[in-house]
Amino acid sequence: MEAAGAGVAPIRAQYLSSKEQFHAYLKAERESRNQENNQDDGEEDPSSNDQTEPPAKQMKLDGGDQVRKQGSQEEVLKEEDKKPQERKRARGQNKSRPCMKPKHYEKDRLCQSVIQECAEKCYFGSQCRFLHDVGEYMAVKPSDLGDSCILFKTFGKCIYGVTCRFARAHLGEDYRNIINGDLVKQWEGKPLVRNSLSKELQQRLRKKKVCFDKSSEYLSHLGKPSSAGNAGNKATGNSTEEKGMTNCTASKGNAEGLDVLPPGEEAPECLTVSEKGEASESMVLQSSCLANASKDSTLKTIGPVTDEDVIKLRLCEKKRLDIQGKLYLAPLTTCGNLPFRRICKRFGADVTCGEMAVCTNLLQGQSSEWALLKRHYTEDLFGVQLEGAFPDTMTRCAELLNQTIEMDFVDINVGCPIDLVYKKGGGCALMNRSNKFEQIVRGMNSVLDVPLTVKIRTGVQEKVNLAHKVIPNIRKWGASMVTLHGRSREQRYTKDADWEYIAECAKLASPMPLFGNGDILSYEDANRAMQTGVSGIMIARGALIKPWIFTEVKEQRHWDISSNERFDILKDFTNYGLEHWGSDTQGVEKTRKFMLEWLSFLCRYIPAGLLEYLPQKINERPPYYMGRDYLETLMASQNVDDWIKISEMLLGPVPTNFTFLPKHKANSYR
């Protein structure tokens, strides 16, 4: 055991341990628990991996642990071979980490027509490559993970039928799906998740048959020279008074929510998306509606008739973003998924934002990218974050989202430090490309009906701050709010966030709100941040390490949360994940994947009762220590295999040949 050094969290001496003692204790406890589970014939323990499997699968599962351990050891050896003799701190991403695809989970999959109990309607007929014999599928299907299906229990129906890994809770005779009619009626007409991508819109995006009238009008002015003395705004097109622009190139008098197509184009060939409706399914106008609209010039409307279709809203008339003093959960790539945001909302997060979405992928109709925009009905203040490097794609994407999804604001990511984004001119690179940056902000602002916000860093290079120069321009360009992360791109997450500099920038931003971000892991950190004069705080890694930080800040206390309470949080995440990604094998494994990514941050939390003094600092690395019980010790493990064990306690045994490495190298230390 070594004394706590610089950068190491101060843990009470009686809890400190060596690496060898720590892993020996976990191994002994695990073996002891496995023996107890093997002796217990009558009861099933949720943390046990000894589940009855089909004979064909049993041998593979028995050898799965050994294969997985060998695979993880090989990965470690490869990483160690690449390291120089002097050990350096791991940084960046595990770009070559293994990727588990759906075919790895189950080779024999059941046809969707059979799952929905309408096998006679299979589109592919005899050429379908999926199974149609339920008995054959059940013979090779992995065993169920439990007796209670969260989908059936909550909504009265599990849409995954026999493929559900909790199917025995809702299967009747001949593998028929049981439905609880009363529960189904309760949820009828209540969309739980909004902002889904419809098949029709996806097809039109892929065929490039979606019109962007407002964007085209703005972009048409980019190449035109402006009068002397207005060089900074030569490519802006920022107001109707200056440029004589309207919201679209359509003729005046068209109905609200409908943009008339340019002359010579037929309505079915080019879709102009409508204003946001009550249900996500009805957000995109059908071709037939457009065709009828072109024939009938006197459309019947319901509600007040406005002139928003012909007169552009002024900045002062736009919806304001009133989040002064609220707790803002940062948009977090990979880990900031919808189930995690639900966890944070439950603990008191006021504002949530979807993961960073690449505008070009959204314009191409990629389902995986549109999934990042989904919004749960409990997210009352929700925004989406876009990344892009050019005004044309960013402006078109903003117009598309403005008319197809429900959101309270749009955020531009000008803080992303990763090379893939930076080298293409996006993320932090925009801070050095002021002309493109201005065109993007003004263009998006001109097509959006909701507030536009910007997230930036202090700069690109470590000792060259740029934010104080950029922020006044962002305010002038029309953004409603700016969020400043107190580190440069070169720093990434090393060293402390510069809150003194954030305080200076907050004064420059006034009257535009500025939110500060960086190194907030306790209510004391939050209080110090608010004293700098910022309008509010954004919490990122602090929420990943301890999502109950929002409760601590609001109640102004340190929460010595128990291991059982933390495990209950993981149970809730599991249920939310099964609701969101599905309760079939693919959904279970996707839930496991995102849980493991989150566990790579959760293991950094040190229980308040174990610290010599409070609070824990975000950049202090936890040493090896023994928790107050086995579960607390297991949750403190920095070993990938122990994270997998925790996931198996909730989601059953991992598939054969399963491997996992966290996205960030700094999270995969052992």
Side-chain angles (χ1 to χ4, degrees), residues 106-304:
E106 47 183 354
K107 294 180 180 178
D108 300 314
R109 295 170 60 189
L110 200 62
C111 178
Q112 279 295 325
S113 63
V114 179
I115 297 173
Q116 303 304 324
E117 298 180 355
C118 51
E120 66 280 358
K121 296 182 181 180
C122 179
Y123 179 79
F124 300 98
S126 59
Q127 297 181 345
C128 182
R129 60 189 178 93
F130 297 111
L131 294 177
H132 283 72
D133 187 340
V134 178
E136 183 182 351
Y137 171 78
M138 294 299 289
V140 296
K141 177 192 171 186
S143 65
D144 283 357
L145 302 176
D147 296 321
S148 176
C149 172
I150 187 65
L151 294 175
F152 179 71
K153 183 179 178 181
T154 307
F155 308 112
K157 179 182 179 180
C158 178
I159 61 174
Y160 299 94
V162 293
T163 62
C164 175
R165 294 297 300 275
F166 307 86
R168 60 172 174 251
H170 51 77
L171 283 188
E173 295 181 0
D174 299 326
Y175 304 116
R176 289 284 178 180
N177 208 17
I178 299 173
I179 297 175
N180 185 334
D182 295 335
L183 274 177
V184 172
K185 287 181 181 178
Q186 287 181 21
W187 290 98
E188 192 173 357
K190 298 179 182 178
L192 298 175
V193 178
R194 308 167 195 169
N195 301 349
S196 298
L197 174 64
S198 68
K199 282 293 181 184
E200 182 184 2
L201 178 57
Q202 184 180 47
Q203 290 173 2
R204 291 184 176 275
L205 285 170
R206 288 175 174 176
K207 295 177 180 179
K208 298 183 179 179
K209 291 184 178 180
V210 176
C211 290
F212 301 97
D213 294 329
K214 297 179 184 179
S215 301
S216 299
E217 180 71 13
Y218 168 78
L219 295 170
S220 66
H221 290 73
L222 290 185
K224 295 181 180 180
S226 61
S227 59
N230 193 28
N233 293 330
K234 68 177 182 178
T236 57
N238 58 323
S239 70
T240 53
E241 290 81 9
E242 293 176 3
K243 301 292 182 181
M245 291 169 53
T246 59
N247 271 356
C248 61
T249 57
S251 60
K252 296 181 181 180
N254 57 334
E256 180 183 0
L258 284 174
D259 289 339
V260 180
L261 299 170
E265 290 193 31
E266 296 180 2
E269 293 301 319
C270 186
L271 175 70
T272 302
V273 285
S274 69
E275 296 290 330
K276 293 180 282 292
E278 293 182 359
S280 58
E281 291 80 3
S282 63
M283 288 183 184
V284 182
L285 288 176
Q286 304 297 324
S287 328
S288 58
C289 295
L290 285 172
N292 293 334
S294 62
K295 294 176 182 177
D296 187 7
S297 59
T298 58
L299 292 176
K300 295 181 180 179
T301 59
I302 299 176

Side-chain angles (χ1 to χ4, degrees), residues 382-394:
F382 174 78
V384 298
Q385 188 182 67
L386 300 180
E387 182 279 320
F390 301 99
D392 56 342
T393 52
M394 289 289 277

